[in-house]
Amino acid sequence: HQQRPHRETPEILMVQPLLEIKDLDICFQTEDGPFHALKNVTLNVSRGRITAVVGESGSGKSVTALSILQLLAPNAAYTKGEIIYHQGAGSMDLLKQPIAMLRSLRGNSISMIFQEPMTSLNPLMRCGEQVAEAIMLHKKCDQRTAREQTIALFQKVELPDPTGMYKRYPHQLSGGQKQRVMIAMAMSCGPDLLIADEPTTALDVTVQKTILELIRTLQQESNMGV
């Protein structure tokens, strides 16, 4: 009888989530008393993957998204749970971080795209200047470098005439073009996590498809979680 060679059990590689929301409860204080918007919400977002939250209007999708960076109204109370963000070799509970830390993460490591780009863009500033301002804030670069990076981003998000778009005001762009500007701004610092709060709601069906395809392409190129 010949003994068979021992085979080692292959190691199972556990992929650590980029973001973990654990048993999250959120309550809003109203004139009629407390209103529980979220109860025991748990979900994970992995690096290089897209996690979709689906539900009817009023089910708490936007509240969940906005809670990650604590962008909810002042009457919101996080009554239970954790929001763990894994950055490099470390991790942190975003609900326990000081506002200074959250500000350093917003638009830098974690970016967000909102439903209506017209309310997110400053109508009095040229589109390119708004993106360049975000780049200068987080990357600490000069205005010329920020302008060059902004035009390159406009090209990446497939805006026509990127140099011309830099000089235009939001009212001079279509809805789809404004959303592309917002995506360029969200991608400007190479985030690990992109939060998209119904980014196609205000757009027509054809434009919705192209915007979703663009987000997917950028996600695959940069290996970020969405």
Side-chain angles (χ1 to χ4, degrees), residues 109-122:
S109 301
I110 304 176
S111 288
M112 193 154 186
I113 310 171
F114 297 94
Q115 292 186 31
E116 177 49 72
M118 198 61 203
T119 60
S120 302
L121 291 170
N122 186 336

Side-chain angles (χ1 to χ4, degrees), residues 37-182:
L38 296 184
K39 292 182 181 179
N40 299 321
V41 172
T42 297
L43 64 88
N44 292 341
V45 182
S46 299
R47 188 180 300 277
R49 297 292 183 91
I50 296 175
T51 300
V53 179
V54 182
E56 63 186 5
S57 180
S59 62
K61 301 185 299 298
S62 293
V63 172
T64 302
L66 293 169
S67 68
I68 296 169
L69 288 173
Q70 297 187 43
L71 296 174
L72 294 170
N75 65 330
Y78 302 83
T79 54
K80 191 185 74 170
E82 299 175 305
I83 301 179
I84 308 298
Y85 171 53
H86 299 278
Q87 188 177 36
S91 62
M92 65 179 79
D93 184 351
L94 295 177
L95 295 181
K96 296 180 179 178
Q97 300 307 308
I99 190 64
M101 173 59 76
L102 293 173
R103 284 174 178 163
S104 70
L105 292 173
R106 292 170 184 164
N108 191 13
S109 301
I110 304 176
S111 288
M112 193 154 186
I113 310 171
F114 297 94
Q115 292 186 31
E116 177 49 72
M118 198 61 203
T119 60
S120 302
L121 291 170
N122 186 336
L124 303 179
M125 282 184 69
R126 299 180 193 275
C127 292
E129 292 172 350
Q130 298 188 51
V131 179
E133 184 179 63
I135 293 174
M136 287 189 289
L137 174 66
H138 291 291
K139 292 190 174 182
K140 310 299 181 185
C141 61
D142 58 38
Q143 190 171 3
R144 180 179 177 181
T145 302
R147 184 179 186 277
E148 291 173 352
Q149 292 183 11
T150 298
I151 293 173
L153 281 165
F154 282 180
Q155 187 172 7
K156 192 170 186 177
V157 299
E158 300 173 2
L159 275 169
D161 185 18
T163 304
M165 288 291 178
Y166 187 97
K167 303 174 184 177
R168 293 186 185 179
Y169 290 93
H171 73 271
Q172 296 176 304
L173 275 63
S174 68
Q177 289 172 342
K178 284 195 285 281
Q179 194 60 286
R180 288 174 189 271
V181 171
M182 290 304 304

